[in-house]
Amino acid sequence: MKNLLCLVSLGFILSISSCSVEETVALPENKCFNDDASAIEQLPWLKTVVSEFQKPKSGPVQVVLYVYNHEYAKDKFQLEYFIGVYNSSIASTDSYIYTCAGKTIGEAAINAKDFYAKATVVKVLFEGSY
């Protein structure tokens, strides 16, 4: 059962990396980090999260930048960046999707199904295997 869960999680991770932003999506101007340097180095909370998965035998780790059309008030939307951290050992991937400030989507009161339905992968920020 555990192997099946790992395989399903790994398949999910690999399917995410095959997505890309459509050219028609206008990216938000508010950025989480400066593109000239590593997001992990610029965001201390992200460095802490990723370091949890950088232990021997942890497996593949992927950090993904999303853009999401976030409803911040009734019928008012705005595009926002989110960062997802994925590893085959994670049972609930939505608990590893964060706002630029380091809040999980649960803390930001965003439904995981809605997030995945409306989020678009902008780029993979980091990939490694441990």
Side-chain angles (χ1 to χ4, degrees), residues 45-75:
W45 64 264
L46 182 57
K47 187 173 186 175
T48 301
V49 171
V50 172
S51 69
E52 292 175 20
F53 299 107
Q54 291 179 317
K55 298 173 184 161
K57 299 183 181 181
S58 293
V61 177
Q62 187 177 56
V63 179
V64 178
L65 181 65
Y66 290 100
V67 67
Y68 170 68
N69 197 10
H70 179 56
E71 184 174 10
Y72 64 93
K74 186 170 173 68
D75 298 326

Side-chain angles (χ1 to χ4, degrees), residues 3-72:
N3 288 340
L4 178 62
L5 180 60
C6 287
L7 286 173
V8 169
S9 297
L10 186 58
F12 176 74
I13 290 169
L14 294 174
S15 69
I16 289 173
S17 65
S18 65
C19 300
S20 63
V21 173
E22 296 177 20
E23 291 182 22
T24 57
V25 175
L27 297 176
E29 291 181 22
N30 262 353
K31 293 191 175 185
C32 297
F33 55 89
N34 181 339
D35 286 332
D36 297 333
S38 165
I40 296 169
E41 294 302 320
Q42 293 178 58
L43 301 170
W45 64 264
L46 182 57
K47 187 173 186 175
T48 301
V49 171
V50 172
S51 69
E52 292 175 20
F53 299 107
Q54 291 179 317
K55 298 173 184 161
K57 299 183 181 181
S58 293
V61 177
Q62 187 177 56
V63 179
V64 178
L65 181 65
Y66 290 100
V67 67
Y68 170 68
N69 197 10
H70 179 56
E71 184 174 10
Y72 64 93

